[in-house]
Amino acid sequence: MSTVETVRGPVETADLGVTYMHEHVFVLTPDVQQNYPDEWGDEQARQDDAVTKLSALAASGVRTIVDPTVIGLGRYIPRIRDVALRVPDLNIVVATGCYTYQDVPFFFHYRRADLRAALGMDEVDPMVPLFVVDITEGIAGTGVRAGMLKCAIDEPGLTPGVERVMRAVARAHLATGCPITVHTHPGTEQGLVVQQVMAEEGVDPGRVVLGHSGDTTDVDHLSHLADAGFWLGMDRFGINLDTTLEARADAVVELCRRGFADRMVLSHDAACYIDWIDPAAIPLLADWNYLHIAAAVLPYLREHGVTEDQITTMLVDNPRRFFEGV
Ligand SMILES: [Zn+2]
């Protein structure tokens, strides 16, 4: 029997059901929020809003989401636990790791292996044991364990900070077996950099989702990464500022035609509230919500030749296989 840690405790992989592999609940900038709290407003109203949106997601047939909100994205598990307890039909898998495109947070800047060595301490990156405790014991005394590791690489590429986090995530994975999701920028083929670093660290690509793969229509590039054994996160359906529903969905159609239905997972990268976006701009992103895949993407895929079996593979079987490590 194989299980995955969720906010309410372990769930058997066979019971994950339809799983969206990359959805946030809240994405926040805590020190801005603490000083300019007016936009967030009433805590209870925000939690009620999240319960409403996540309940609608569960009612659409989705049983599990993975929330890859880590350090740098305002992770706060007591709030997520309060929300999750009010949406009993939805499993929420939370994550540990660090999200940056450039530097590590200053908390870690002077806490690093080379300075520890100079002080006669062991040379482990201090991020690694923090991530490991989140996975093996729980996060910040809540008892909620992380079920996913997360790092990021974007257009700036493998900066020293990005590399440090990626290697720390790889080492926490090797110590625990917890799988990995990586925010990537496929337009600049950052998946190839992930491939190199993970190979150097001895990480099996089959334990890694390359997130935001659906931001490109370069299916040759994506086919190469799928052939290498990575999972492709076609996980930003509804974010159509630089692309369209059709472009995103056509990439999935073509990858299915090439035989890669068993390498893709689907999601929106949506949130109940994200403070990166001016609330006035949210109406420009009308499709960016938890219900868009069920409402628009799956009908489009069916119309363009993706079979019901392939849809089940992407939504149910692949998440289960990913967490089982098979
Ligand atoms: Zn995300």
Side-chain angles (χ1 to χ4, degrees), residues 22-24 27 68-69 73 99 150 183 212 235-236 269-270 276:
H22 193 126
E23 305 291 352
H24 301 272
V27 176
T69 305
L73 294 170
Y99 183 89
K150 163 89 173 277
H183 163 111
H212 313 331
D235 54 17
R236 278 181 158 173
D269 199 10
W276 298 9

Side-chain angles (χ1 to χ4, degrees), residues 121-134:
M121 302 160 78
D122 65 63
E123 283 192 58
V124 174
D125 188 316
M127 277 188 270
V128 177
L130 295 178
F131 298 163
V132 168
V133 164
D134 284 354

Side-chain angles (χ1 to χ4, degrees), residues 96-119:
T96 187
C98 184
Y99 183 89
T100 179
Y101 303 166
Q102 299 272 4
D103 300 325
V104 295
F106 272 104
F107 181 91
F108 295 111
H109 186 79
Y110 295 107
R111 303 178 194 226
R112 57 186 199 235
D114 60 326
L115 296 179
R116 289 173 63 85
L119 293 167

